[in-house]
Amino acid sequence: MGEEGTGGTVHLLCLAASSGVPLFCRSSRGGAPARQQLPFSVIGSLNGVHMFGQNLEVQLSSAKTENTTVVWKSFHDSITLIVLSSEEGISELRLERLLQMVFGAMVLLVGLEELTNIRNVERLKKDLRASYCLIDSFLGDSELIGDLTQCVDCVIPPEGSLLQVPHRLLTLTLLPSLELCLLCGPSPPLSQLYPQLLERCWQPLLDPLRACLPLGPRALPSGFPLHTDILGLLLLHLELKRCLFTVEPLGDKAEPSPEQRRRLLRNFYTLVTSTHFPPEPGPPEKTEDEVYQAQLPRACYLVLGTEEPGKGVRLVALQLGVRRLLLLLSPQSPSHGLRSLATHTLHALTPLL
């Protein structure tokens, strides 16, 4: 399993599908925006080979060279996005989901109608500049994992049931470092929100909210029982599209570092989602027979380093119903007990998510 996210250069190209006219190009090196741009000849070649395949009713989705991975994706037969990455061990799944997020950002800031019915290319280029900042943030490294899992990253506060709130998007400061993002209807007016909402509704909850602040990277309530071998975990609820991700579940500072743990879990998620488990539940497709469904794996594990106790790290994935749990475990955890530990942990976490 490669070291995904260890650096390299990412180029993102956006073109009008019908004409091949470039709409923008964004680049990132080592997770930071870069000025380096691809030559027009390279852009034309990348788009040309994709269009050539389409004319032959062949869908070109990805390709790999010795040090670069390329992924193409068309949206509504109007926009073509191409991403090139030289990051070691980068997965096609991650790049595909990056392109989905980029198009979502374009729709959010420009509108689907403007993208699917292009009337003026130069005007569209200008309008798309508003999306650059958001798109550039996708090209960098994230401390969360929702960009990959397409689930909402969650933390589990001690009294979460009290904090369950949906149409206007407002942000109100409740406490230092804690803002309330609120979806509400046309009323009440903004001038009345503080006395009506903050003082009347949220004042009684400030103490539970203060208890959320120390959660930080741990994301779980203090004292929540977790096995001491767990170095990191990812829990997904595939129907609710929510996930719980932490690489400091016990607040320890042992090796591997939080950055290494994060990278290992992201890589393992990509591996099991691409190879073993179905990505997520969707509309029923035409299956060949029910035998195939029965043979879908329920668990898998990976040992990096050596099987000897005290050496290497262990990764285990378990899926039960709509929940999928991935654990990063210390070298002390014996391989024969991984499934039992994962099952026990999943049962303990189920009431939270």
Side-chain angles (χ1 to χ4, degrees):
M1 189 167 62
E3 288 290 304
E4 182 176 302
T6 57
T9 301
V10 179
H11 296 289
L12 174 69
L13 311 174
C14 176
L15 307 100
S18 59
S19 63
V21 174
L23 299 177
F24 65 79
C25 177
R26 308 300 295 170
S27 299
S28 170
R29 180 185 292 274
R35 293 180 176 272
Q36 179 184 2
Q37 298 293 317
L38 289 175
F40 185 78
S41 59
V42 175
I43 297 175
S45 298
L46 289 168
N47 187 53
V49 70
H50 184 252
M51 294 182 69
F52 180 76
Q54 286 184 320
N55 292 336
L56 297 177
E57 297 184 351
V58 174
Q59 184 63 44
L60 177 62
S61 59
S62 64
K64 285 189 176 183
T65 66
E66 184 177 351
N67 55 11
T68 302
T69 302
V70 186
V71 172
W72 292 262
K73 193 167 185 64
S74 294
F75 296 87
H76 299 275
D77 297 322
S78 177
I79 297 292
T80 298
L81 293 177
I82 308 172
V83 61
L84 301 84
S85 176
S86 63
E87 290 186 17
E88 182 183 356
I90 192 74
S91 64
E92 295 174 11
L93 174 68
R94 178 181 170 188
L95 295 178
E96 288 172 4
R97 296 195 169 176
L98 169 64
L99 295 184
Q100 291 170 353
M101 289 197 304
V102 169
F103 185 72
M106 295 164 62
V107 172
L108 175 67
L109 295 167
V110 176
L112 185 60
E113 173 64 22
E114 298 297 322
L115 296 172
T116 57
N117 187 15
I118 302 175
R119 300 180 182 88
N120 187 317
V121 171
E122 294 305 317
R123 179 180 175 182
L124 180 58
K125 287 183 181 179
K126 183 178 179 180
D127 291 343
L128 283 170
R129 292 174 187 168
S131 65
Y132 288 178
C133 184
L134 181 56
I135 290 173
D136 287 347
S137 71
F138 298 155
L139 303 182
D141 293 330
S142 173
E143 293 185 357
L144 303 177
I145 202 168
D147 61 304
L148 181 62
T149 65
Q150 296 186 324
C151 296
V152 178
D153 286 286
C154 300
V155 298
I156 307 299
E159 300 183 51
S161 60
L162 298 176
L163 306 177
Q164 297 281 339
V165 208
H167 307 295
R168 250 184 324 167
L169 177 61
L170 304 172
T171 59
L172 303 172
T173 301
L174 299 178
L175 293 169
S177 303
L178 183 64
E179 290 188 344
L180 170 67
C181 294
L182 181 67
L183 286 171
C184 66
S187 61
L190 190 60
S191 60
Q192 297 179 16
L193 274 177
Y194 272 84
Q196 289 190 8
L197 185 64
L198 293 186
E199 296 178 6
R200 187 178 307 170
C201 300
W202 287 93
Q203 187 69 32
L205 298 174
L206 290 184
D207 287 338
L209 288 173
R210 284 192 183 93
C212 295
L213 296 179
L215 292 177
R218 175 178 161 83
L220 288 165
S222 178
F224 185 84
L226 280 179
H227 197 283
T228 55
D229 285 350
I230 297 176
L231 302 178
L233 68 85
L234 168 61
L235 174 65
L236 301 101
H237 194 296
L238 301 175
E239 282 189 353
L240 295 179
K241 290 289 185 181
R242 295 179 181 174
C243 65
L244 176 66
F245 181 52
T246 176
V247 292
E248 299 181 44
L250 303 174
D252 64 287
K253 301 300 180 183
E255 293 293 327
S257 68
E259 292 76 17
Q260 292 172 316
R261 297 181 188 187
R262 192 177 299 117
R263 190 179 306 128
L264 287 167
L265 273 172
R266 288 178 69 95
N267 283 358
F268 189 50
Y269 169 82
T270 301
L271 175 68
V272 299
T273 300
S274 303
T275 309
H276 300 303
F277 300 139
E280 59 260 335
E285 299 180 359
K286 296 179 180 178
T287 55
E288 297 176 1
D289 52 58
E290 294 183 359
V291 176
Y292 172 76
Q293 295 292 337
Q295 293 176 344
L296 288 176
R298 293 285 176 259
C300 64
Y301 77 93
L302 179 68
V303 175
L304 296 180
T306 173
E307 290 268 6
E308 295 179 29
K311 296 185 179 180
V313 295
R314 284 87 167 106
L315 292 135
V316 59
L318 175 69
Q319 180 154 330
L320 293 177
V322 297
R323 291 177 177 84
R324 182 181 303 164
L325 176 67
L326 281 69
L327 294 178
L328 172 65
L329 300 166
S330 69
Q332 288 73 31
S333 192
S335 300
H336 64 265
L338 296 182
R339 181 162 185 168
S340 175
L341 192 157
T343 302
H344 178 80
T345 304
L346 180 57
H347 287 321
L349 291 170
T350 292
L352 304 180
L353 188 65

